Amino acid sequence: MLFLELAQTFERMEKTSSRLELTQFLVDLLRKTPANIIDKTVYLIQGKLGPDHKSSQLGIAEKIVTKALSLATGMSKNEIKSRFDKIGDLGDVAYSLIIDKTQSTLFQEDLTIEKVFDTLLKIASSSGVGSLDLKIRYITSLINNSSNLESKYLLKLILGNLRLGIANFTLIDALALCFTGDKKNRKILESAFNLSSDLGNIARILAEGSLEDVKSISVSLFIPIRPMLAERAADSKDALNKIGGKCLAEFKIDGERIQIHKKGQQVELFTRSLENISSNFPEIAKMFADFDSNEMIVEGEVVAINPANSKYLPFQSLMRRRRKYNIQQTMETYPVLLNLFDIIYYDGQNKMDSPFAERRRLLESVFGNVINNRLRLIDQMEVSSIDEIEMFMKKALEYGSEGLMLKNPNSIYRAGAREWAWIKLKKEYSGTITDSVDLVILGALYGKGRRVGKYGALLLGSYSKEDDTFYTICKVGTGFKDDVLDNLYQKLSNLIIHKKHPRVQPGALSMDVWFEPTIVLEIISPEITLSPVYTTGKDMIKPGYGMALRFPKFSGNIREDKAPEDSTTVKEILEIYRNQLK
Ligand code: AMP
């Protein structure tokens, strides 16, 4: 199948802000895609070369792409740069530069989806001496063989900025419609996705097999599972009611969740957004490789500790371990402690359907003898009264935890689900949100005074899983140090979009710039109020009104460990609002 067909679909998608239309374009495209390339097509639609945990990532530097575009078009790099400064996107620059070669016979060969995919894979995976020239040659040759429309989307793919607003959710809808004719089957596809994190593979199974084959997808070692999530309760009484009385309470530590897969000496670590971060925590990988047990998938919260006194360090310190370079040195300055809290797979057996209490016992029997100053099981206690919860909460806070996690002892592990089987209970709310929320950046206003040339206020949003949409909730401009603001400005510049995003509900707000929802910030605010301006919870409490954070302030934590879909949900915000009124 020709890449031109994909480029034409992208062009249609770029022009719409309607989710329904996006889904329909996807269905039309998937229907005519041959089964043997449907996985590659799905990855390209996602702007990827494979599932996040496996593939080499696109996102080639602008400098390299500029050089290739210059070689292919004969236009100087300076001219390209000045057009880029005006238009803001190299794909669009290519579109304006390249004559529509579909009219002519200049092509050396037709670009097929397969050819493009394979070449992009070579570009993304070439490294070492000479790889720069090689990348430029591949990109130049792709441009030479493409029309203006094709090069526009080729370059957006290569740069990693396709930004069509297609989320997993939309793709799952389209796959259900295309292959089963019924959107209701999205549930089955979603469950398979929660276990396998690979929509390309699911598409291929659907195209070559059936829905029954998708149902049989199960846990596999080295394929990250979407983590089970917790609901948020207002206070111990509320939590105890919702969890049904007796439960297992655990310390809730503010670190980073990691999922560890081990088979013999092979160990891989994944974040909660399913990225492979094995190289950031080499000491954990080694500890598990040396561990005398065969196959397992376990989960825990990793936290940076002060090497002098073993006290927990704030989340920002842990984020230093996310950097690519000088790992050895950061490893010494910021040692980490892993607090295990779940076991999902052990010795060839899927443990997801075992009750939580049983999984905990297994965890204890497997790790009972290896507890040390770098690895422990999370502190746990059985509780059945408010007094017991409060006593354990006090201990947790003294210890440096941010609160408690209450877990239903009979609950199974439901990948990707946020349910009342797990409840997070941070410090008592006492009528205000002493607790923080995690919100995604949706737009910005340009700054004034000291902040000219930067963003003055950022528009933030919450997430609604029900319709996979981000809703606005506040503008924040305080709490930012200058270097953080500079850094954010750089990152956000690469996320600018030029239309209303299909997954954002902005209401009547107008901003200077809009972004692809990507970056999650931790925000503190004393209160949630009703507001006619913002769309979070619109009409749910009072007609014409949504919810707003009052006096929002950035806590200093950019939640690099969270995907935009991990932001605080509209449901949680409503819950906090209702609890304020109690
Ligand atoms: P939140 O990010 O506020 O929605 O809280 C959920 C997160 O708390 C999980 O994804 C884990 O990263 C973290 N966490 C800390 N302690 C625990 C625990 N004992 N059990 C489960 N998750 C925990």
Side-chain angles (χ1 to χ4, degrees), residues 32-44:
K32 55 186 176 197
T33 308
N36 66 335
I37 57 155
I38 199 149
D39 43 0
K40 293 182 175 173
T41 310
V42 166
Y43 298 138
L44 290 181

Side-chain angles (χ1 to χ4, degrees), residues 228-230 232 250-257 272 301 341 378 402 405 407 418 422 424 426 438 559 562 572:
M228 176 156 172
L229 302 167
R232 177 190 298 245
E250 293 179 350
F251 284 7
K252 182 179 190 305
I253 297 171
D254 189 19
E256 174 164 24
R257 182 170 187 161
R272 64 181 272 169
E301 189 83 355
F341 58 73
I378 200 107
E402 57 171 351
M405 237 355 165
K407 299 183 178 175
R418 189 187 289 283
W422 286 14
K424 55 187 168 190
K426 301 203 193 164
D438 299 321
R559 294 299 308 222
K562 292 201 169 180
E572 286 180 274

